[in-house]
PDB file of all heavy atoms in Angstrom:
ATOM      1  N   ARG A  94      -9.200 -37.679 -28.459  1.00  0.00           N
ATOM      2  CA  ARG A  94      -8.195 -37.673 -27.378  1.00  0.00           C
ATOM      3  C   ARG A  94      -7.501 -36.312 -27.295  1.00  0.00           C
ATOM      4  O   ARG A  94      -7.273 -35.783 -26.209  1.00  0.00           O
ATOM      5  CB  ARG A  94      -7.151 -38.784 -27.628  1.00  0.00           C
ATOM      6  CG  ARG A  94      -7.697 -40.188 -27.380  1.00  0.00           C
ATOM      7  CD  ARG A  94      -6.657 -41.256 -27.753  1.00  0.00           C
ATOM      8  NE  ARG A  94      -7.196 -42.615 -27.554  1.00  0.00           N
ATOM      9  CZ  ARG A  94      -6.620 -43.724 -28.014  1.00  0.00           C
ATOM     10  NH1 ARG A  94      -5.496 -43.657 -28.710  1.00  0.00           N
ATOM     11  NH2 ARG A  94      -7.161 -44.907 -27.779  1.00  0.00           N
ATOM     12  N   ARG A 104      -6.518 -48.520 -18.423  1.00  0.00           N
ATOM     13  CA  ARG A 104      -6.800 -49.842 -18.973  1.00  0.00           C
ATOM     14  C   ARG A 104      -6.653 -50.929 -17.898  1.00  0.00           C
ATOM     15  O   ARG A 104      -5.553 -51.434 -17.651  1.00  0.00           O
ATOM     16  CB  ARG A 104      -5.883 -50.107 -20.170  1.00  0.00           C
ATOM     17  CG  ARG A 104      -6.120 -49.080 -21.267  1.00  0.00           C
ATOM     18  CD  ARG A 104      -5.448 -49.386 -22.570  1.00  0.00           C
ATOM     19  NE  ARG A 104      -6.161 -48.710 -23.650  1.00  0.00           N
ATOM     20  CZ  ARG A 104      -5.899 -48.845 -24.937  1.00  0.00           C
ATOM     21  NH1 ARG A 104      -4.925 -49.636 -25.332  1.00  0.00           N
ATOM     22  NH2 ARG A 104      -6.613 -48.198 -25.839  1.00  0.00           N
ATOM     23  N   ARG A 130      -1.892 -45.440 -19.256  1.00  0.00           N
ATOM     24  CA  ARG A 130      -1.143 -45.134 -20.476  1.00  0.00           C
ATOM     25  C   ARG A 130      -1.252 -43.640 -20.762  1.00  0.00           C
ATOM     26  O   ARG A 130      -2.362 -43.126 -20.849  1.00  0.00           O
ATOM     27  CB  ARG A 130      -1.758 -45.963 -21.621  1.00  0.00           C
ATOM     28  CG  ARG A 130      -1.352 -45.523 -23.005  1.00  0.00           C
ATOM     29  CD  ARG A 130      -2.149 -46.302 -24.077  1.00  0.00           C
ATOM     30  NE  ARG A 130      -1.853 -45.754 -25.392  1.00  0.00           N
ATOM     31  CZ  ARG A 130      -2.519 -46.056 -26.511  1.00  0.00           C
ATOM     32  NH1 ARG A 130      -3.526 -46.914 -26.471  1.00  0.00           N
ATOM     33  NH2 ARG A 130      -2.199 -45.515 -27.659  1.00  0.00           N
ATOM     34  N   TYR A 137       2.779 -40.615 -31.035  1.00  0.00           N
ATOM     35  CA  TYR A 137       1.440 -40.322 -31.563  1.00  0.00           C
ATOM     36  C   TYR A 137       1.229 -38.844 -31.888  1.00  0.00           C
ATOM     37  O   TYR A 137       0.263 -38.493 -32.559  1.00  0.00           O
ATOM     38  CB  TYR A 137       0.368 -40.745 -30.548  1.00  0.00           C
ATOM     39  CG  TYR A 137       0.098 -42.227 -30.520  1.00  0.00           C
ATOM     40  CD1 TYR A 137       1.031 -43.097 -29.969  1.00  0.00           C
ATOM     41  CD2 TYR A 137      -1.086 -42.756 -31.018  1.00  0.00           C
ATOM     42  CE1 TYR A 137       0.799 -44.455 -29.926  1.00  0.00           C
ATOM     43  CE2 TYR A 137      -1.329 -44.121 -30.982  1.00  0.00           C
ATOM     44  CZ  TYR A 137      -0.392 -44.967 -30.433  1.00  0.00           C
ATOM     45  OH  TYR A 137      -0.631 -46.316 -30.392  1.00  0.00           O
ATOM     46  N   GLY A 246       2.316 -48.188 -23.850  1.00  0.00           N
ATOM     47  CA  GLY A 246       1.035 -48.507 -23.225  1.00  0.00           C
ATOM     48  C   GLY A 246       0.085 -49.175 -24.212  1.00  0.00           C
ATOM     49  O   GLY A 246      -0.658 -50.089 -23.859  1.00  0.00           O
ATOM     50  N   ASP A 247       0.127 -48.720 -25.446  1.00  0.00           N
ATOM     51  CA  ASP A 247      -0.701 -49.337 -26.489  1.00  0.00           C
ATOM     52  C   ASP A 247      -0.345 -50.815 -26.634  1.00  0.00           C
ATOM     53  O   ASP A 247      -1.217 -51.688 -26.631  1.00  0.00           O
ATOM     54  CB  ASP A 247      -0.480 -48.600 -27.814  1.00  0.00           C
ATOM     55  CG  ASP A 247      -1.218 -49.271 -28.958  1.00  0.00           C
ATOM     56  OD1 ASP A 247      -2.412 -49.575 -28.783  1.00  0.00           O
ATOM     57  OD2 ASP A 247      -0.598 -49.496 -30.022  1.00  0.00           O
ATOM     58  N   ILE A 248       0.955 -51.079 -26.726  1.00  0.00           N
ATOM     59  CA  ILE A 248       1.416 -52.451 -26.983  1.00  0.00           C
ATOM     60  C   ILE A 248       1.192 -53.338 -25.741  1.00  0.00           C
ATOM     61  O   ILE A 248       0.661 -54.446 -25.832  1.00  0.00           O
ATOM     62  CB  ILE A 248       2.904 -52.430 -27.387  1.00  0.00           C
ATOM     63  CG1 ILE A 248       3.066 -51.620 -28.682  1.00  0.00           C
ATOM     64  CG2 ILE A 248       3.438 -53.847 -27.555  1.00  0.00           C
ATOM     65  CD1 ILE A 248       4.498 -51.228 -29.003  1.00  0.00           C
ATOM     66  N   THR A 250      -0.891 -53.143 -23.400  1.00  0.00           N
ATOM     67  CA  THR A 250      -2.271 -53.464 -23.031  1.00  0.00           C
ATOM     68  C   THR A 250      -2.927 -54.475 -23.970  1.00  0.00           C
ATOM     69  O   THR A 250      -3.929 -55.080 -23.601  1.00  0.00           O
ATOM     70  CB  THR A 250      -3.140 -52.195 -22.909  1.00  0.00           C
ATOM     71  OG1 THR A 250      -3.013 -51.411 -24.090  1.00  0.00           O
ATOM     72  CG2 THR A 250      -2.739 -51.386 -21.685  1.00  0.00           C
ATOM     73  N   ASP A 251      -2.380 -54.677 -25.163  1.00  0.00           N
ATOM     74  CA  ASP A 251      -2.871 -55.819 -25.953  1.00  0.00           C
ATOM     75  C   ASP A 251      -2.381 -57.118 -25.311  1.00  0.00           C
ATOM     76  O   ASP A 251      -3.117 -58.110 -25.242  1.00  0.00           O
ATOM     77  CB  ASP A 251      -2.415 -55.741 -27.414  1.00  0.00           C
ATOM     78  CG  ASP A 251      -3.441 -55.030 -28.305  1.00  0.00           C
ATOM     79  OD1 ASP A 251      -4.154 -54.146 -27.791  1.00  0.00           O
ATOM     80  OD2 ASP A 251      -3.530 -55.357 -29.506  1.00  0.00           O
ATOM     81  N   MET A 260      -9.264 -60.083 -26.054  1.00  0.00           N
ATOM     82  CA  MET A 260      -9.713 -58.750 -26.452  1.00  0.00           C
ATOM     83  C   MET A 260     -11.208 -58.583 -26.188  1.00  0.00           C
ATOM     84  O   MET A 260     -11.703 -57.463 -26.093  1.00  0.00           O
ATOM     85  CB  MET A 260      -9.451 -58.498 -27.946  1.00  0.00           C
ATOM     86  CG  MET A 260      -7.993 -58.521 -28.353  1.00  0.00           C
ATOM     87  SD  MET A 260      -6.955 -57.351 -27.459  1.00  0.00           S
ATOM     88  CE  MET A 260      -7.134 -55.886 -28.442  1.00  0.00           C
ATOM     89  N   ILE A 279     -10.892 -51.936 -26.098  1.00  0.00           N
ATOM     90  CA  ILE A 279      -9.581 -51.702 -26.714  1.00  0.00           C
ATOM     91  C   ILE A 279      -9.420 -52.471 -28.024  1.00  0.00           C
ATOM     92  O   ILE A 279      -8.488 -52.228 -28.763  1.00  0.00           O
ATOM     93  CB  ILE A 279      -8.397 -51.920 -25.738  1.00  0.00           C
ATOM     94  CG1 ILE A 279      -7.934 -53.370 -25.649  1.00  0.00           C
ATOM     95  CG2 ILE A 279      -8.661 -51.407 -24.345  1.00  0.00           C
ATOM     96  CD1 ILE A 279      -6.542 -53.455 -25.020  1.00  0.00           C
TER      97      ILE A 279
HETATM   98 MG1   MG B 402      -4.097 -50.534 -29.260  1.00  0.00          MG
END
Side-chain angles (χ1 to χ4, degrees):
R94 288 175 182 167
R104 299 190 156 185
R130 165 187 174 191
Y137 282 72
D247 175 48
I248 298 166
T250 52
D251 268 30
M260 297 303 273
I279 86 163

